[in-house]
Amino acid sequence: VRVTTPIEVRTWHNAKGEGKVLGFDVLDAEGNEMKAVCFGDCALNLAEKMQQYGVYEISKATLAASRNPRYAIGPYEMKLDQNSLVQPLPDNAPSAMKIPKVQYNFR
């Protein structure tokens, strides 16, 4: 998948406490978009590894129905944790060249 949004860790605060969150959008070779999210140490670790427009192979993530339709870009979202594997792919890899850098969806 290709990361299509900036990689930026945010801090959240609520009645339960505070924490770190990293949310970003990914695009696959078929043009499917999905939101990905991770929290805490996972967010900090992935923010160091990932960059916008980079191509990655992601495994051991959890897929679930999008919780908040207001922010959803598709019917599912991907949740990554400490067990998830994120491997960068070079831009000249055959699978990476099939994924567009930008996709427009005018509504």
Side-chain angles (χ1 to χ4, degrees):
V1 295
R2 184 178 302 276
V3 175
T4 59
T5 54
I7 299 296
E8 182 180 334
V9 176
R10 296 178 312 210
T11 302
W12 53 267
H13 307 274
N14 65 19
K16 296 179 184 178
E18 66 178 59
K20 304 284 185 194
V21 62
L22 173 64
F24 53 94
D25 298 346
V26 295
L27 177 67
D28 68 12
E30 287 81 36
N32 300 308
E33 289 183 286
M34 182 181 296
K35 219 170 241 320
V37 65
C38 55
F39 298 92
D41 291 337
C42 180
L44 297 173
N45 292 338
L46 286 181
E48 292 177 7
K49 287 185 185 181
M50 301 178 83
Q51 61 184 352
Q52 186 177 13
Y53 302 122
V55 178
Y56 303 89
E57 186 174 288
I58 299 175
S59 58
K60 297 188 179 180
T62 304
L63 294 179
S66 296
R67 294 180 312 181
N68 190 340
R70 180 177 176 192
Y71 300 109
I73 58 173
Y76 298 100
E77 67 181 21
M78 184 185 320
K79 185 174 181 183
L80 294 94
D81 60 25
Q82 294 295 345
N83 297 319
S84 300
L85 300 175
V86 178
Q87 297 294 324
L89 294 176
D91 277 336
N92 61 356
S95 57
M97 294 187 343
K98 294 178 184 177
I99 304 172
K101 286 192 177 184
V102 178
Q103 177 173 308
Y104 297 100
N105 185 10
F106 298 105
R107 296 179 187 183

